[in-house]
Amino acid sequence: MLSRRTSLIALGALLLAACGSTPPPPPAPVVVQAPPAPPKKIRIGLALGGGAARGFAHIGVIKALEAQGIVPEIVVGTSAGSVVGALYASGYSGFALQKIAMDMDEATISDWAMPLFSSSPGLLKGEALQNYVNKAVGNRPMEKLPKRFGAVVTDLKTGEAVMFDKGNTGMAVRASSAVPSVFQPVKIGSKTYVDGGLVAPVPVKFTRDKMGADFVIAVNISTQADTQATVSSLDVLMQTFSIMGQRLNHFELKEADIVITPALGKMGSADFNGRNLAILAGEQAAAAVMPQIKAKLKAKQQP
């Protein structure tokens, strides 16, 4: 009897102890972390400057960018930059452009106007260049190219820079490349146009302001007055344009996110035989600034 009473007392004590104890804390809420915000979409623009045969360097820059997965959506070119830019915007890769450059015969884009027997204002008519470009892009107008493309020209009457981004691709490139006294001026509509390099040697502002690029990579292939050899009359003429454009470049290039300047040395404006070295110089110059390009792109992509 005593043992039974003792057991009941012990059981009661345990029950009282249980009632007086602190209840266990509720389980901690599960914190669901929101997924990180995706990087901002950045529209990369490529502003390709003028410089006649030195423009082969643009191909090397494009190759280097593509090798690192950097593919511009917008391309704006002046003069030689418009030639490369049109082909690139039409869908050719950097390697395909290099093959085109290696196979190019200078005679296919030369159509002499015989100025000795006419009042022609230029040695070359430019129709051959126009036809060459149109054939290369499949006769598509600028607005039908896979990438947005613009060609910068100079209004011969007003001296204003104008950009074409619609219409006949080859004709726009022809006008953009119409170096005065070398190519005949090009009439489009009621106006006459010549080489865009006179007013926009590297078209940074057009690439950003008119075409909407968020990140502009500019490629400057203009000559330097203290290095350029003036062997031919074309070299002298292009050197004159380069000197005129240096001040324009000084201000415009400041608005680019990255400026790539291939080391072309004394390469002449008519030196088509140096195309392979020019392409290599473009690749090397782009590779040298690739860490800067990636770092600046990453910073721009932050939400």
Side-chain angles (χ1 to χ4, degrees), residues 81-275:
S82 74
V83 180
V84 176
L87 270 59
Y88 182 47
S90 74
Y92 291 100
S93 67
F95 280 100
L97 289 173
Q98 181 170 9
K99 185 178 187 308
I100 290 173
M102 293 299 102
D103 294 341
M104 178 184 286
D105 182 356
E106 188 180 349
T108 61
I109 59 172
S110 301
D111 47 359
W112 298 98
M114 299 180 66
L116 291 177
F117 305 100
S118 70
S119 58
S120 170
L123 298 172
L124 302 173
K125 291 184 288 186
E127 292 175 359
L129 174 62
Q130 175 178 325
N131 294 335
Y132 177 86
V133 171
N134 276 335
K135 182 179 179 180
V137 304
N139 291 307
R140 287 173 291 179
M142 286 179 279
E143 65 270 23
K144 296 294 184 181
L145 301 180
K147 298 179 187 293
R148 289 200 66 195
F149 170 65
V152 177
V153 302
T154 301
D155 186 317
L156 186 58
K157 183 176 181 180
T158 66
E160 291 180 320
V162 177
M163 186 190 73
F164 289 113
D165 62 352
K166 293 181 176 63
N168 188 307
T169 303
M171 183 174 286
V173 169
R174 173 187 173 188
S176 181
S177 306
V179 178
S181 298
V182 178
F183 284 93
Q184 294 178 359
V186 179
K187 188 171 183 178
I188 301 176
S190 61
K191 297 184 178 181
T192 303
Y193 301 98
V194 292
D195 194 318
L198 296 174
V199 287
V202 185
V204 175
K205 287 182 66 63
F206 280 108
T207 307
R208 190 185 301 279
D209 298 344
K210 298 295 185 182
M211 300 291 267
D214 303 306
F215 189 90
V216 179
I217 300 172
V219 186
N220 179 22
I221 57 168
S222 62
T223 59
Q224 297 297 318
D226 57 346
T227 62
Q228 180 61 31
T230 50
V231 177
S232 67
S233 57
L234 177 59
D235 287 334
V236 173
L237 187 62
M238 295 302 294
Q239 177 73 343
T240 303
F241 291 158
S242 179
I243 293 170
M244 291 167 55
Q246 283 178 1
R247 183 167 293 276
L248 293 172
N249 272 345
H250 176 74
F251 293 104
E252 188 144 5
L253 291 175
K254 286 183 177 181
E255 299 192 24
D257 294 279
I258 292 289
V259 178
I260 299 174
T261 306
L264 297 171
K266 294 185 177 182
M267 180 180 181
S269 299
D271 185 8
F272 280 78
N273 292 327
R275 68 192 79 181

Side-chain angles (χ1 to χ4, degrees), residues 48-79:
L48 303 179
R54 296 163 69 92
F56 288 110
H58 291 316
I59 296 173
V61 171
I62 290 169
K63 285 181 62 182
L65 293 174
E66 287 184 338
Q68 296 298 319
I70 299 171
V71 184
E73 298 178 41
I74 298 166
V75 189
V76 181
T78 290
S79 197

